[in-house]
Amino acid sequence: MIWLLFGAPGSGKGTQSKNIQAEFGFGHLSTGDMFRKNIKEGTALGKKAQEFMKDGNLVPDEVVIGMVGEELSAEKPCILDGFPRTLPQGEGLSNLLDEKSLALGGVIYLEVPHSDLMNRLTGRRVCKKCGEVYHIDFKPTTKEGVCDVCEGEVIHRNDDKPEVIENRLSVFLNQTEPLLKYYKDKGVLYKIDGVGESSEVFSRVEEILRKNH
Ligand code: ADP
Ligand code: ZN
């Protein structure tokens, strides 16, 4: 069973994925994390992805679909975070699910107003090692620059700089948002309010998963 976490950059997909993993024991595939890992390791895939990511553009569909196809397995329920992000990726995922005889549990859309996203993203910091997400105002680390969870280095992602954020948000509106209708038409879209404490948002996510899991 595959669940999609869907939302604009900064909507809290990464944070909620971690909560779902912890509470439900689901697996977690984040295409953004996979690309960042490849960039760090200097692989050919990483070099390719970097060309697009640095400006906040999307990595080409065939590259993303190929990468997800290699990782997706039926072992246990899994959350996809950050994929699909375009209609062709939605079709690509649908084919992958068929090939692997996997079912789509549903799509959880974390809805957050545009004005909040900018603020969340510019203040966002992430742990380089474990991926824990922080915010300079709303959720600071206890010790500056050091992860509370694993003591890894906490950084400001390059694509969380203001000029790149603008582009990522407009890419979301133009290329990703059309998927909402696609999944709504399939009857699998669950829209939730993504504003509030992360624990409040998680209780909304949880309710959907418990009912449909
Ligand atoms: P966010 O959701 O906060 O933008 P991600 O870590 O999911 O952060 O993505 C960071 C970047 O990785 C994107 O801006 C894009 O360049 C690339 N990326 C991630 N997932 C995809 C995808 N499904 N298709 C194309 N590019 C992707
Ligand atoms: Zn950490």
Side-chain angles (χ1 to χ4, degrees), residues 7-11 13 30-33 35-36 49 52-54 56-61 64 67-68 81-86 89 121 124 157 159-160 168:
S11 58
K13 299 185 298 286
S30 153
T31 44
D33 287 350
F35 287 133
R36 280 185 288 275
F52 300 91
M53 282 174 79
K54 69 177 180 11
N57 293 319
L58 295 181
V59 179
D61 290 334
V64 190
M67 178 177 77
V68 173
D81 157 6
F83 178 86
R85 254 173 154 99
T86 63
Q89 289 182 24
L121 288 165
R124 176 161 79 174
R157 258 168 55 181
D159 60 349
D160 280 347
R168 283 163 64 207

Coordinates of all heavy atoms in Angstrom, one line a residue, residues 7-11 13 30-33 35-36 49 52-54 56-61 64 67-68 81-86 89 121 124 157 159-160 168, ligand 1:
G7 N 1.8 18.4 -1.2 CA 1.7 19.8 -0.8 C 2.9 20.6 -1.3 O 3.9 20.1 -1.8
A8 N 2.7 21.9 -1.2 CA 3.7 22.8 -1.7 C 5.0 22.7 -0.9 O 5.0 22.1 0.2 CB 3.2 24.2 -1.6
P9 N 6.1 23.2 -1.5 CA 7.3 23.2 -0.7 C 7.1 24.0 0.6 O 6.4 25.0 0.6 CB 8.3 24.0 -1.6 CG 7.8 23.9 -3.0 CD 6.3 23.7 -2.9
G10 N 7.5 23.4 1.7 CA 7.3 24.1 3.0 C 5.9 23.7 3.6 O 5.6 24.2 4.7
S11 N 5.2 22.8 3.0 CA 3.9 22.5 3.6 C 4.0 21.6 4.8 O 3.0 21.3 5.5 CB 2.9 22.0 2.5 OG 3.5 20.8 1.9
K13 N 5.5 18.3 4.5 CA 5.6 16.9 4.0 C 6.6 16.1 4.8 O 6.4 15.0 5.2 CB 5.8 16.8 2.5 CG 4.8 17.4 1.7 CD 5.0 17.2 0.2 CE 6.3 17.7 -0.3 NZ 6.4 19.2 -0.5
S30 N 11.5 9.8 -0.1 CA 11.5 11.2 -0.4 C 12.4 11.4 -1.6 O 13.6 11.2 -1.5 CB 11.9 12.1 0.7 OG 12.4 13.3 0.3
T31 N 11.8 11.9 -2.7 CA 12.6 12.1 -3.9 C 13.7 13.2 -3.7 O 14.8 13.1 -4.1 CB 11.8 12.3 -5.2 OG1 10.8 13.3 -4.8 CG2 11.1 11.1 -5.7
G32 N 13.3 14.2 -3.0 CA 14.2 15.3 -2.7 C 15.4 14.7 -1.9 O 16.6 15.0 -2.2
D33 N 15.1 13.9 -0.8 CA 16.2 13.3 0.0 C 17.1 12.4 -0.9 O 18.3 12.4 -0.8 CB 15.6 12.5 1.1 CG 15.1 13.3 2.2 OD1 15.3 14.5 2.2 OD2 14.4 12.7 3.1
F35 N 17.7 12.6 -4.1 CA 18.6 13.5 -4.9 C 19.7 14.1 -4.1 O 20.8 14.1 -4.5 CB 17.8 14.6 -5.6 CG 16.9 14.1 -6.7 CD1 15.6 14.5 -6.8 CD2 17.4 13.2 -7.7 CE1 14.8 14.1 -7.9 CE2 16.6 12.8 -8.7 CZ 15.2 13.2 -8.8
R36 N 19.3 14.6 -2.9 CA 20.4 15.2 -2.1 C 21.5 14.2 -1.7 O 22.7 14.5 -1.7 CB 19.8 15.8 -0.8 CG 19.2 17.2 -1.1 CD 18.7 17.9 0.1 NE 17.5 17.3 0.6 CZ 16.2 17.5 0.2 NH1 16.0 18.4 -0.7 NH2 15.2 16.9 0.7
A49 N 20.7 15.9 -11.3 CA 19.7 16.5 -10.5 C 20.1 17.9 -10.1 O 19.3 18.8 -10.1 CB 19.4 15.6 -9.3
F52 N 19.2 21.1 -12.0 CA 17.8 21.5 -11.9 C 17.5 22.1 -10.5 O 16.9 23.1 -10.4 CB 16.8 20.4 -12.3 CG 17.1 19.9 -13.7 CD1 18.0 18.9 -14.0 CD2 16.5 20.6 -14.8 CE1 18.2 18.4 -15.3 CE2 16.7 20.1 -16.1 CZ 17.6 19.1 -16.3
M53 N 17.9 21.3 -9.6 CA 17.6 21.7 -8.2 C 18.1 23.0 -7.7 O 17.5 23.7 -7.0 CB 18.1 20.6 -7.2 CG 17.2 19.4 -7.2 SD 17.9 18.0 -6.2 CE 17.5 18.6 -4.6
K54 N 19.3 23.4 -8.2 CA 19.9 24.6 -7.7 C 19.1 25.8 -8.0 O 19.1 26.8 -7.2 CB 21.4 24.7 -8.2 CG 21.5 25.0 -9.7 CD 23.0 25.2 -10.0 CE 23.4 25.5 -11.4 NZ 22.4 25.8 -12.4
G56 N 15.7 25.6 -8.3 CA 14.4 25.3 -7.9 C 13.5 24.7 -9.0 O 12.3 24.8 -8.9
N57 N 14.1 24.2 -10.0 CA 13.3 23.6 -11.1 C 13.2 22.1 -10.9 O 13.9 21.6 -10.0 CB 14.0 23.9 -12.5 CG 14.0 25.3 -12.8 OD1 12.9 26.0 -12.6 ND2 15.1 25.8 -13.4
L58 N 12.3 21.5 -11.6 CA 12.1 20.1 -11.4 C 13.1 19.3 -12.2 O 13.5 19.6 -13.3 CB 10.7 19.7 -11.8 CG 9.5 20.3 -11.0 CD1 8.2 19.7 -11.5 CD2 9.7 19.9 -9.5
V59 N 13.5 18.2 -11.6 CA 14.4 17.2 -12.3 C 13.5 16.5 -13.4 O 12.3 16.3 -13.1 CB 14.9 16.2 -11.3 CG1 15.8 15.1 -12.0 CG2 15.7 16.9 -10.2
P60 N 14.0 16.2 -14.6 CA 13.1 15.7 -15.6 C 12.4 14.4 -15.2 O 12.9 13.6 -14.5 CB 14.1 15.4 -16.8 CG 15.3 16.3 -16.6 CD 15.4 16.5 -15.1
D61 N 11.1 14.3 -15.7 CA 10.2 13.2 -15.3 C 10.9 11.8 -15.4 O 10.8 11.0 -14.5 CB 9.0 13.3 -16.2 CG 8.1 14.5 -15.8 OD1 8.2 15.0 -14.7 OD2 7.3 14.9 -16.7
V64 N 13.3 11.0 -12.6 CA 12.6 10.8 -11.3 C 11.8 9.4 -11.3 O 12.0 8.7 -10.4 CB 11.6 11.9 -11.0 CG1 11.1 11.8 -9.6 CG2 12.2 13.3 -11.2
M67 N 14.2 6.5 -11.0 CA 14.7 6.4 -9.7 C 13.7 5.8 -8.7 O 14.0 4.9 -8.0 CB 15.2 7.8 -9.2 CG 15.8 7.8 -7.8 SD 16.4 9.4 -7.4 CE 14.8 10.3 -7.0
V68 N 12.5 6.3 -8.8 CA 11.4 5.8 -7.9 C 11.2 4.3 -8.2 O 11.0 3.5 -7.3 CB 10.2 6.6 -7.9 CG1 9.0 6.0 -7.1 CG2 10.4 8.0 -7.5
D81 N 6.9 11.0 -0.6 CA 7.0 12.4 -0.2 C 7.7 13.1 -1.3 O 8.9 12.9 -1.6 CB 7.7 12.4 1.1 CG 8.3 13.7 1.5 OD1 8.2 14.7 0.8 OD2 9.0 13.8 2.5
G82 N 7.0 14.0 -2.0 CA 7.6 14.8 -3.1 C 7.5 14.2 -4.5 O 8.1 14.6 -5.4
F83 N 6.8 13.1 -4.6 CA 6.5 12.4 -5.8 C 5.1 11.9 -5.9 O 4.7 11.3 -4.8 CB 7.6 11.3 -6.0 CG 7.4 10.5 -7.3 CD1 8.0 10.9 -8.5 CD2 6.6 9.3 -7.3 CE1 7.8 10.2 -9.7 CE2 6.4 8.6 -8.5 CZ 7.0 9.1 -9.7
P84 N 4.4 12.0 -6.9 CA 4.7 12.7 -8.2 C 4.5 14.2 -8.0 O 3.8 14.7 -7.1 CB 3.6 12.1 -9.1 CG 2.5 11.7 -8.3 CD 3.1 11.3 -7.0
R85 N 5.1 14.9 -8.9 CA 5.1 16.4 -8.9 C 4.6 16.9 -10.3 O 4.6 18.2 -10.4 CB 6.5 16.9 -8.7 CG 6.7 17.5 -7.3 CD 8.2 17.7 -7.2 NE 8.6 18.8 -6.3 CZ 9.0 18.5 -5.0 NH1 9.1 17.3 -4.6 NH2 9.3 19.6 -4.3
T86 N 4.4 16.1 -11.2 CA 3.8 16.5 -12.5 C 2.8 15.5 -13.0 O 2.8 14.3 -12.5 CB 4.9 16.6 -13.6 OG1 5.4 15.3 -13.8 CG2 6.1 17.5 -13.2
Q89 N 4.4 12.4 -14.2 CA 4.9 11.5 -13.1 C 3.7 10.8 -12.4 O 3.9 9.7 -11.9 CB 5.6 12.4 -12.0 CG 7.0 12.9 -12.4 CD 7.6 13.7 -11.3 OE1 7.4 13.6 -10.2 NE2 8.6 14.6 -11.8
L121 N 9.7 28.6 4.7 CA 10.9 28.1 3.9 C 12.1 28.9 4.2 O 13.2 28.3 4.3 CB 10.6 28.1 2.4 CG 9.6 27.0 2.0 CD1 9.1 27.3 0.6 CD2 10.3 25.6 2.0
R124 N 13.5 27.8 7.5 CA 13.7 26.4 7.6 C 15.2 26.0 7.7 O 16.0 26.5 6.9 CB 13.1 25.6 6.5 CG 13.3 24.1 6.5 CD 12.3 23.4 5.7 NE 12.6 23.4 4.3 CZ 12.0 22.7 3.4 NH1 10.9 22.0 3.7 NH2 12.3 22.7 2.1
R157 N 19.4 24.9 3.6 CA 19.5 24.3 2.3 C 19.6 25.4 1.2 O 19.0 26.4 1.3 CB 18.2 23.5 2.0 CG 18.4 22.0 2.1 CD 17.1 21.3 2.1 NE 16.3 21.6 0.9 CZ 15.0 21.1 0.7 NH1 14.5 20.3 1.6 NH2 14.4 21.4 -0.4
D159 N 18.5 25.6 -1.7 CA 17.3 25.9 -2.4 C 16.2 26.5 -1.4 O 15.1 26.8 -1.8 CB 16.7 24.8 -3.2 CG 16.4 23.5 -2.4 OD1 16.7 23.5 -1.2 OD2 15.7 22.6 -2.9
D160 N 16.6 26.8 -0.2 CA 15.7 27.5 0.7 C 16.1 29.0 0.8 O 15.7 29.7 1.7 CB 15.7 26.9 2.1 CG 14.8 25.7 2.3 OD1 14.0 25.5 1.3 OD2 15.0 25.0 3.3
R168 N 10.4 27.9 -6.8 CA 9.9 26.6 -6.4 C 8.4 26.7 -6.2 O 7.6 25.8 -6.5 CB 10.5 26.1 -5.1 CG 11.9 25.5 -5.4 CD 12.7 25.4 -4.1 NE 12.2 24.5 -3.2 CZ 12.4 24.6 -1.9 NH1 13.1 25.6 -1.4 NH2 11.8 23.7 -1.1
Ligands
ADP1 P1 10.3 20.7 -1.2 O1 9.1 19.8 -1.2 O2 10.4 21.4 0.1 O3 10.5 21.5 -2.4 P2 12.1 18.4 -1.8 O4 13.2 18.0 -1.0 O5 10.9 17.5 -1.9 O6 11.6 19.8 -1.2 O7 12.6 18.8 -3.3 C1 13.7 19.6 -3.5 C2 14.0 19.6 -5.0 O8 14.3 18.3 -5.5 C3 12.9 20.2 -5.9 O9 12.9 21.6 -6.0 C4 13.3 19.5 -7.3 O10 14.3 20.2 -7.9 C5 13.8 18.2 -6.9 N1 12.7 17.1 -6.8 C6 12.3 16.5 -5.8 N2 11.3 15.6 -6.1 C7 11.1 15.8 -7.4 C8 10.2 15.2 -8.4 N3 9.2 14.3 -8.0 N4 10.3 15.7 -9.7 C9 11.2 16.5 -10.0 N5 12.1 17.1 -9.2 C10 12.0 16.7 -7.9

